Amino acid sequence: MSEKNNVDQKPAPTRAAAAETADAPSTMSRIMRSSVQQIFVFAALVGIYIFFMFAAPNFAQFSIALDIVQQSAYIGVMALGATFVIATGGIDLSSGTGMTLVAVMAGVFLSGEWMNMPLGGGLILVLLVGGALGLANGANIAYLGLPPFIATLATMMVARGLALIISDKASISIKNPGYGWIANGQLIPGVPNAVLFFILLAVVAAVMLNKTLLGRYALAIGSNEEATRLSGVNTKLWKMLVYVVAGVFVAFGAILYSARFGFVQPAEGLGFELNVIAAVVIGGTSLAGGRANILGTVVGALIMETLKKGLLMMGIAQEWQFVVTGIVVIIAVFVDNLRRRRAAAA
């Protein structure tokens, strides 16, 4: 009897099996699809840039290109974190007002009016605030079972209210002399530090997505959450951690945003989440989950800022800028749906 039990006993599923679940499709086919997608998105960026070189006066200048990258840094950094969330099939509507709340707290820690902490200690607390926002989102979604749309919408409203309450609806100047250097200093002459931090964080995010359990489980959850759970993965824990990571990236975005201008407007940030989501979707990450692309997210953020800058330099009214951006997002989602249908039919 004991021999029979030993023969019939199946090995328990392991976490390694879940990682293999994310890699279930043909590796070569995934690489090919990813390469074509990246080429398409990058070609779109080049095409848009060339168009504005001829359509917008003085657009074809290095200073303008550098300004586009610097301006896209804070949205791009937040979009890096949102890529992990959307890879799970979730959504985060709180990144815009969450960024504002984190920036307000940076003002509290480093302004000199409330507190006058050393720069390093203040930055650590700022990142912890961002992580706490992500933790609230993740716990509500993973453990309370709230839909991501509702949970993050609630956090968006709470963050906006807290930012206004804490700041007393007044702008906060951040007087710490080292804070502005984070975004405006130049470790490389002629290149603002915000650009360098954007590149560095993009590399970190790419490594996290492709080389760590967090990235593999995020993709596995987005592909098939139930199968991932049955493989022995604590999907609730890893989903919550994904939102925590997204919150930390929101904090980095808040630092770059507030450090560049040296002050915080507590009423700002509302609507930034749409630009964040648009950058991720344009970059090729599927809203259905299971597929993500960090490089595409970076290019998506650059496309958004290039459109904004080019239309502005053409003298197009801001309301038409919203229209153009919305059309671009619709096209990106349509392409994603078309790609998924073809993949399902194959």
Side-chain angles (χ1 to χ4, degrees):
M1 180 67 69
S2 62
E3 292 180 359
K4 182 179 180 181
N5 289 339
N6 290 336
V7 171
D8 293 340
Q9 186 176 7
K10 296 181 180 179
T14 63
R15 293 187 173 186
E20 293 175 0
T21 301
D23 295 331
S26 167
T27 303
M28 184 58 67
S29 63
R30 285 174 51 202
I31 292 174
M32 290 294 293
R33 289 197 303 267
S34 178
S35 298
V36 171
Q37 174 183 302
Q38 291 178 17
I39 292 171
F40 176 78
V41 175
F42 185 75
L45 173 61
V46 172
I48 292 170
Y49 189 85
I50 292 175
F51 169 78
F52 285 123
M53 285 177 62
F54 294 97
N58 301 319
F59 188 83
Q61 297 181 20
F62 178 75
S63 60
I64 297 297
L66 193 61
D67 185 62
I68 288 173
V69 180
Q70 186 178 14
Q71 286 277 19
S72 64
Y74 66 93
I75 290 293
V77 166
M78 292 192 292
L80 295 174
T83 301
F84 290 86
V85 169
I86 295 177
T88 66
I91 200 74
D92 186 2
L93 299 178
S94 66
S95 56
T97 58
M99 184 209 75
T100 303
L101 176 59
V102 173
V104 166
M105 295 309 299
V108 170
F109 299 141
L110 298 168
S111 67
E113 298 177 9
W114 283 271
M115 302 172 65
N116 191 18
M117 297 186 64
L119 181 61
L123 292 177
I124 291 174
L125 289 180
V126 168
L127 294 177
L128 288 176
V129 172
L133 285 174
L135 180 64
N137 281 332
N140 288 334
I141 293 167
Y143 289 98
L144 296 185
L146 299 181
F149 183 92
I150 299 299
T152 59
L153 178 64
T155 303
M156 178 183 76
M157 293 186 288
V158 169
R160 180 171 173 79
L162 288 177
L164 293 170
I165 291 169
I166 294 171
S167 65
D168 197 23
K169 303 179 183 178
S171 62
I172 303 175
S173 296
I174 304 178
K175 300 176 181 178
N176 189 295
Y179 193 72
W181 178 88
I182 295 174
N184 300 318
Q186 296 183 0
L187 283 172
I188 298 176
V191 180
N193 287 343
V195 176
L196 300 182
F197 279 116
F198 185 19
I199 295 172
L200 175 62
L201 290 172
V203 172
V204 171
V207 172
M208 291 175 63
L209 181 65
N210 297 299
K211 301 296 183 181
T212 69
L213 288 178
L214 179 76
R216 292 186 179 185
Y217 288 160
L219 294 171
I221 290 170
S223 296
N224 192 325
E225 183 173 352
E226 182 63 15
T228 305
R229 185 186 67 81
L230 293 175
S231 297
V233 177
N234 187 341
T235 54
K236 292 183 178 180
L237 174 62
W238 285 100
K239 188 184 290 187
M240 185 177 69
L241 290 177
V242 163
Y243 281 90
V244 171
V245 168
V248 172
F249 275 98
V250 166
F252 277 117
I255 291 170
L256 293 179
Y257 181 75
S258 55
R260 181 175 186 188
F261 300 106
F263 64 90
V264 180
Q265 291 281 6
E268 292 183 345
L270 190 63
F272 285 8
E273 65 280 349
L274 301 180
N275 291 332
V276 169
I277 295 171
V280 177
V281 174
I282 290 171
T285 296
S286 175
L287 283 171
R291 188 179 70 248
N293 190 324
I294 293 296
L295 179 59
T297 295
V298 172
V299 177
L302 293 174
I303 288 176
M304 294 290 294
E305 188 58 36
T306 302
L307 283 171
K308 178 181 175 182
K309 190 74 171 179
L311 293 172
L312 180 65
M313 293 183 68
M314 287 180 64
I316 304 298
Q318 187 177 30
E319 52 267 29
W320 283 105
Q321 297 176 27
F322 293 142
V323 171
V324 173
T325 302
I327 292 173
V328 171
V329 173
I330 290 173
I331 293 173
V333 174
F334 173 77
V335 171
D336 176 53
N337 287 337
L338 186 63
R339 183 167 47 230
R340 285 192 290 114
R341 289 172 186 170
R342 289 181 176 177

